């Protein structure tokens, strides 16, 4: 009798393990040759991943804003997003309130969707862009962007203004 229970338990573990492995494998993003998460989606959905402090409400508002603008947003709680930001090249004086990745570019801060669109369309030879701090007129802080926002490009070539609009 104990042998039957043991074999039944072993079989159940095998089936459960296979199911879990299959589920986790299909849920993982694929990495391209540069080690970046793949954003290719056959239905044209724009993919973006955001690492943010779990207590930051403006990051959630910003993610909602991106979703309203056609993005599929993956939110990752990361209290050390600032350290991650610096590790990928965001200038320390240019840190925003979260770090995002879209099509191999890093984006720090509450960058408006039209600037993200320009980044992935133009594909400049940079590591990414940043909108430092938490400007009160940026998406995530304000319902609608007002006034101008100065966004900076960063990469091997240094730091330069990417957008002032």
């Amino acid at each position: 009798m104990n042998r039957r229970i043991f074999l039944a338990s072993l079989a159940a573990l095998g089936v459960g393990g296979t199911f879990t492995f299959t589920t986790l494998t299909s849920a993982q993003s694929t990495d391209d040759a540069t080690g970046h998460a793949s954003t290719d989606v056959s239905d044209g959905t724009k993919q973006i991943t955001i690492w943010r402090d779990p207590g930051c409400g403006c990051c959630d508002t910003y993610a909602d804003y991106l979703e309203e603008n056609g993005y599929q947003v993956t939110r990752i709680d990361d209290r050390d997003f600032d350290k991650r930001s610096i590790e990928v090249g965001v200038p320390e004086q240019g840190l925003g309130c979260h770090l995002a990745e879209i099509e191999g570019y890093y984006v720090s801060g509450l960058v408006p969707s039209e600037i993200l669109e320009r980044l992935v369309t133009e594909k400049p030879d940079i590591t990414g862009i940043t909108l430092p701090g938490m400007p009160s007129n940026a998406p995530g802080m304000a319902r609608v962007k007002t006034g101008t926002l100065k966004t900076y490009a960063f990469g091997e070539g240094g730091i330069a203004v990417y957008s002032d609009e």
Side-chain angles (χ1 to χ4, degrees), residues 13-73:
L13 284 173
V15 170
T18 301
F19 175 76
T20 301
F21 177 77
T22 303
T23 302
L24 289 174
T25 302
S26 66
Q28 291 178 346
S29 65
T30 57
D31 287 347
D32 65 14
T34 63
H36 297 285
S38 173
T39 56
D40 295 335
V41 177
S42 59
D43 66 0
T45 304
K46 299 174 278 189
Q47 302 270 320
I48 190 166
T49 299
I50 296 176
W51 292 270
R52 55 65 136 235
D53 187 298
C56 182
C58 71
C59 292
D60 284 329
T61 303
Y62 179 70
D64 293 343
Y65 156 82
L66 290 176
E67 288 170 343
E68 291 167 7
N69 283 279
Y71 288 86
Q72 182 177 340
V73 181

Side-chain angles (χ1 to χ4, degrees), residues 61-137:
T61 303
Y62 179 70
D64 293 343
Y65 156 82
L66 290 176
E67 288 170 343
E68 291 167 7
N69 283 279
Y71 288 86
Q72 182 177 340
V73 181
T74 301
R75 303 170 201 211
I76 300 174
D77 291 345
D78 183 357
R79 292 194 190 282
D80 294 325
F81 79 89
D82 53 341
K83 292 176 188 166
R84 176 187 300 272
S85 299
I86 292 168
E87 288 171 3
V88 301
V90 178
E92 195 167 343
Q93 68 277 21
L95 289 177
C97 67
H98 64 265
L99 178 68
E101 184 179 9
I102 182 169
E103 294 192 23
Y105 290 102
Y106 289 102
V107 178
S108 180
L110 303 164
V111 176
S113 63
E114 62 270 14
I115 297 173
L116 292 177
E117 291 295 321
R118 192 168 93 213
L119 174 69
V120 298
T121 300
E122 293 178 351
K123 299 190 183 308
D125 188 19
I126 60 175
T127 302
I129 58 176
T130 184
L131 177 60
M134 297 171 70
S136 62
N137 62 328

